[in-house]
Amino acid sequence: MSSKAPENSQGGGDSPGDLRSVLVTSVLNLEPLDEGLFRGRHYWVPSTQRLFGGQIVGQALVAAAKSVSEDVHVHSLHCYFVRAGDPKVPVLYQVERTRTGKSFSVRSVKAVQHGKPIFICQASFQEIQPSPVQHQFSMPTVPPPEELPSYETLINQYLRDPNLHKKYQLGLNRIAAQEVPIDIKVVNPPTVNQLDHLEAKQMFWVRARGYIGEGDMKMHCCVAAYISDYAFLGTALLPHHGQHRVHFMVSLDHTMWFHAPFRADHWMLYECESPWAGGSRGLVHGRLWRQDGVLAVSCAQEGVIRVKPHVSASKL
């Protein structure tokens, strides 16, 4: 990958003396096996004991990016999760050079375990082409990350609240025990009394833990692909908190569009909303904003959501 740095004036991030992000040194550091063939290993496995979808998306994008020239950058990717990933074995990524054009190049990536595809992806790369046709939505007005508690602090506040219902305690304890390589700060977190009356919307500041630096834009996009899947599909469950217990929830597909340069180790606002849920599926949309108000990435995902009713205390 090239050494060209993302060109933006966004503040934040860590100093070069800090520990390098594990997302770069481990999670997205693929082992080349042959031409167009790579092996990826696992860093964090959710409590579901299925591979984290963001890891597979990020690793697939790393594999695709290694097959294109330095002067093109990813502008979109479209992915399908076709089988559950096995956290006990590595993932093999097979890259097909579908098309290499003058302005756009397309790569197809297949992730394989036990001889079967678990994930397929199409990634499109574009040579930088300035245009006078430009517009974007306005970034929401929210408190800066420096004024908000960390995710860990917020969860501990919930767990210490005597009014927290027991049905939330198990899930929060599971989240608190996870070692996710992402820093998160929730915008306008609900009070304990509001947890049963949430909209299908959430916003939080996110960034990779550790230092990535003024590196290749391709790597920052791969890290953003990893980050984009964290808590994303859960947005569709927010209006149903307290009514149902999640029995099964997995991603079906994941799509991203990259609009402007950014640094994934700097704070970005992740704006998520779910316009629809039904038929045991949920749809979510997301936007990643740089702190200076530039829209950097747009995302969409649909997933399977199967639930069971909560068992009341009187029936236990």
Side-chain angles (χ1 to χ4, degrees):
M1 294 186 182
S2 74
S3 59
K4 184 175 180 181
E7 299 174 357
N8 70 64
S9 59
Q10 178 182 320
D14 298 303
S15 68
D18 288 339
L19 182 66
R20 291 282 289 176
S21 172
V22 71
L23 288 170
V24 175
T25 61
S26 178
V27 180
L28 300 177
N29 187 19
L30 301 185
E31 177 187 358
L33 300 177
D34 203 341
E35 182 71 23
L37 182 64
F38 304 88
R39 178 161 51 202
R41 300 188 181 277
H42 320 311
Y43 172 78
W44 170 66
V45 177
S47 58
T48 59
Q49 292 305 301
R50 295 170 177 266
L51 288 183
F52 173 48
Q55 173 189 288
I56 303 175
V57 177
Q59 289 182 342
L61 186 53
V62 169
K66 289 180 179 295
S67 71
V68 297
S69 61
E70 293 185 354
D71 59 346
V72 297
H73 296 282
V74 64
H75 73 87
S76 69
L77 58 87
H78 301 265
C79 315
Y80 281 95
F81 298 90
V82 294
R83 287 182 176 87
D86 182 353
K88 297 187 293 295
V89 298
V91 180
L92 295 180
Y93 294 92
Q94 303 170 351
V95 181
E96 177 185 331
R97 299 178 183 233
T98 307
R99 179 179 186 271
T100 301
K102 292 182 178 180
S103 301
F104 292 87
S105 296
V106 177
R107 298 293 183 262
S108 302
V109 183
K110 183 187 297 182
V112 177
Q113 283 186 321
H114 303 298
K116 297 180 179 179
I118 64 169
F119 170 90
I120 53 177
C121 172
Q122 298 274 350
S124 182
F125 298 79
Q126 180 189 15
E127 186 180 44
I128 295 175
Q129 296 176 301
S131 170
V133 180
Q134 297 184 24
H135 73 267
Q136 67 163 54
F137 284 176
S138 296
M139 177 179 173
T141 301
V142 299
E146 295 78 17
E147 296 180 5
L148 298 172
S150 68
Y151 204 39
E152 293 80 5
T153 300
L154 180 62
I155 290 173
N156 287 332
Q157 288 175 356
Y158 283 137
L159 290 173
R160 290 196 304 267
D161 193 316
N163 296 317
L164 180 69
H165 197 285
K166 289 184 178 180
K167 63 189 175 186
Y168 295 120
Q169 290 178 0
L170 181 59
L172 287 171
N173 277 309
R174 284 176 178 169
I175 295 173
Q178 295 173 351
E179 296 183 6
V180 184
I182 308 169
D183 287 327
I184 302 170
K185 293 193 174 184
V186 179
V187 175
N188 298 323
T191 66
V192 166
N193 293 331
Q194 294 172 330
L195 290 176
D196 287 338
H197 308 282
L198 300 176
E199 289 187 277
K201 297 180 180 180
Q202 62 177 337
M203 290 188 288
F204 40 95
W205 292 100
V206 291
R207 68 178 179 183
R209 281 187 174 159
Y211 178 75
I212 299 174
E214 300 290 338
D216 177 21
M217 186 59 210
K218 290 186 178 68
M219 179 52 69
H220 286 280
C221 289
C222 294
V223 172
Y226 181 99
I227 291 173
S228 69
D229 192 40
Y230 187 76
F232 194 29
L233 186 56
T235 309
L237 280 171
L238 294 178
H240 312 283
H241 262 193
Q243 304 172 35
H244 308 284
R245 177 171 54 87
V246 177
H247 172 60
F248 182 77
M249 184 169 73
V250 296
S251 303
L252 289 172
D253 58 21
H254 191 81
T255 302
M256 300 182 71
W257 297 268
F258 300 86
H259 311 307
F262 59 90
R263 275 185 58 172
D265 57 349
H266 284 178
W267 287 114
M268 292 189 291
L269 179 68
Y270 200 9
E271 180 188 12
C272 307
E273 60 183 2
S274 174
W276 174 88
S280 292
R281 304 191 316 278
L283 176 67
V284 288
H285 295 158
R287 301 185 185 98
L288 278 166
W289 301 87
R290 291 185 345 205
Q291 271 194 278
D292 60 3
V294 171
L295 180 59
V297 184
S298 296
C299 314
Q301 184 180 107
E302 190 178 47
V304 175
I305 301 176
R306 297 186 180 128
V307 298
K308 292 182 177 180
H310 271 295
V311 178
S312 65
S314 61
K315 294 181 179 180
L316 295 177

